[in-house]
Amino acid sequence: MSSKANEFSYLCELVKTSTAIALDAQREYLMEARLSGIAQKEGFKSVSELISRVRSGNSAQLQWKVVEAMTTNETSFFRDVKPFEALRHVVIPALMQARKNERRITIWCAACSSGQEPYSIAMLLREYFPELLNWKVSIIATDIATEVMDKCRKGRYTQLEVNRGLPATFLVKYFKKEGVEWQIDANIVKMVDVRRMNLSVAWPLLPPIDLVML
């Protein structure tokens, strides 16, 4: 096994042990692409030197930075369309009927990435179910990656990101252009409770959940 293959094999095992995410063994090229920035920022001469330091076990913080960098955070607004059609026409009406006495709905986006999924849900609820304004609606958004969670909390997106799946009417109604980016409305941001959570270890206490998106 080459040194690069050995390093990638180590990373695969590290990520799987830390997060239960299985990296594609055919994507060794991702190692250099995703870790070169960290290596440079942390003062290492190469990705190999960075991995060697991580393998020494002397820095849990550095190890987690590497794990985060190797995980994929692919997402978009109203991703795949059909799940959100099902929410609008079937799932949310059924939940409202089931919870009409409590007037409470809790939704958990268990791998929220940079927030497009929970904000898509929030906009869908605000747009099509105005009666829920008088309910207690909670959207809990969790992820393991610090950087994407920070982005989720801010609710701020690039032109490319809002172009991916977001209806133009929703962009006009729920976003404001600020410089070269788009800021989602503060009332939508308030609907989303962002928390750090690793699904592969013991979970913190959660309220009763009506719907899980993953």
Side-chain angles (χ1 to χ4, degrees), residues 74-86:
E74 170 62 22
T75 187
S76 61
F77 288 101
F78 297 94
R79 187 176 180 181
D80 300 328
V81 181
K82 290 188 181 298
F84 292 92
E85 290 181 351

Side-chain angles (χ1 to χ4, degrees), residues 137-177:
V137 177
S138 300
I139 302 174
I140 300 171
T142 65
D143 205 280
I144 60 170
T146 306
E147 185 174 340
V148 295
M149 286 173 56
D150 288 342
K151 185 178 180 70
C152 180
R153 287 190 183 94
K154 293 173 183 176
R156 196 175 181 91
Y157 298 96
T158 65
Q159 186 68 55
L160 178 62
E161 288 168 329
V162 297
N163 284 347
R164 295 188 64 203
L166 184 68
T169 53
F170 279 31
L171 178 63
V172 171
K173 188 170 184 177
Y174 295 109
F175 287 78
K176 180 181 179 181
K177 188 74 177 292

Side-chain angles (χ1 to χ4, degrees), residues 172-190:
V172 171
K173 188 170 184 177
Y174 295 109
F175 287 78
K176 180 181 179 181
K177 188 74 177 292
E178 294 187 354
V180 296
E181 294 184 312
W182 292 88
Q183 176 65 51
I184 199 164
D185 185 88
N187 290 321
I188 301 295
V189 173
K190 289 176 183 177

Side-chain angles (χ1 to χ4, degrees), residues 54 100 107 110 143 152 177 193 195 208 210:
V54 171
K100 62 184 179 182
I107 300 170
D143 205 280
C152 180
K177 188 74 177 292
D193 175 11
R195 309 179 187 182
D210 296 297

